[in-house]
Amino acid sequence: MIKELKRDSGKIFVKADYNREFIDKAKTIGGSWSKPYWVFPENNEDVLRELCLKCYGTYDGEEDSLTILADLEDCPYSYNGNSLMLGVIPLATRYSRDSSVVTAPNVCVVKGEFNASGGSARCPSVTWDDSVVLRIEKFPRMQYEALPHTKGITVLQEI
């Protein structure tokens, strides 16, 4: 999610949630990290816009995102370390084996529940026993279209 976007002195400043794809591409379009912002030259705004829409589903008031239901029994989720991912979007994270699962701000568990503990002390993991369904708001349309399949995913609303 993009938290802030501002312009100043021929530069565009973007403060956003962590997204590995955004970071990798930002470095190739003149982006540099100046905590807490990624800073881009204004002449690369067209490419930055596309990148933000792809990774976050929004750019400077423009939305291209979906609200979806993801059934973890069937949808094409993956893991990145201790985070449960859908495409490159983190959905939930367990920071230690016995800690509660923390969902991303745009994610809500609507059916089922995560296990109270998961993984090992060195490799915590988001786990569940029965069906878990997540409602994910503002899921970038381009990320949805890039998924290997959409089985287990229901589109509720297009923005």
Side-chain angles (χ1 to χ4, degrees):
M1 172 181 294
I2 293 178
K3 297 176 180 177
E4 185 180 351
L5 188 139
K6 64 182 185 176
R7 293 171 173 78
D8 187 30
S9 303
K11 298 186 186 293
I12 302 171
F13 296 80
V14 178
K15 183 195 270 187
D17 290 337
Y18 180 85
N19 181 304
R20 180 84 250 164
E21 185 175 359
F22 178 81
I23 292 168
D24 290 344
K25 182 69 175 174
K27 294 175 183 177
T28 69
I29 62 170
S32 62
W33 177 247
S34 180
K35 191 175 181 178
Y37 298 99
W38 277 94
V39 183
F40 300 89
E42 273 188 341
N43 64 325
N44 291 346
E45 183 171 18
D46 57 334
V47 182
L48 175 61
R49 177 186 164 275
E50 287 300 313
L51 177 61
C52 289
L53 287 172
K54 180 178 183 185
C55 293
Y56 299 110
T58 185
Y59 181 76
D60 203 19
E62 181 181 351
E63 292 272 338
D64 191 16
S65 61
L66 308 168
T67 298
I68 61 175
L69 287 180
D71 184 337
L72 297 182
E73 296 279 318
D74 296 320
C75 75
Y77 69 85
S78 63
Y79 287 98
N80 184 3
N82 58 343
S83 292
L84 179 72
M85 311 284 286
L86 187 55
V88 300
I89 309 298
L91 304 178
T93 303
R94 186 185 304 274
Y95 293 101
S96 66
R97 176 187 60 200
D98 297 322
S99 68
S100 298
V101 171
V102 177
T103 60
N106 62 323
V107 176
C108 177
V109 177
V110 295
K111 179 183 173 197
E113 59 185 40
F114 294 113
N115 292 338
S117 179
S120 66
R122 295 186 86 197
C123 297
S125 182
V126 176
T127 58
W128 58 93
D129 290 325
D130 296 320
S131 179
V132 171
V133 178
L134 306 176
R135 182 179 64 231
I136 309 161
E137 296 182 6
K138 297 189 176 189
F139 192 83
R141 178 186 306 277
M142 286 188 233
Q143 290 299 320
Y144 173 78
E145 292 170 353
L147 293 172
H149 66 80
T150 56
K151 183 179 178 200
I153 299 175
T154 304
V155 175
L156 298 178
Q157 180 181 15
E158 297 187 31
I159 301 170

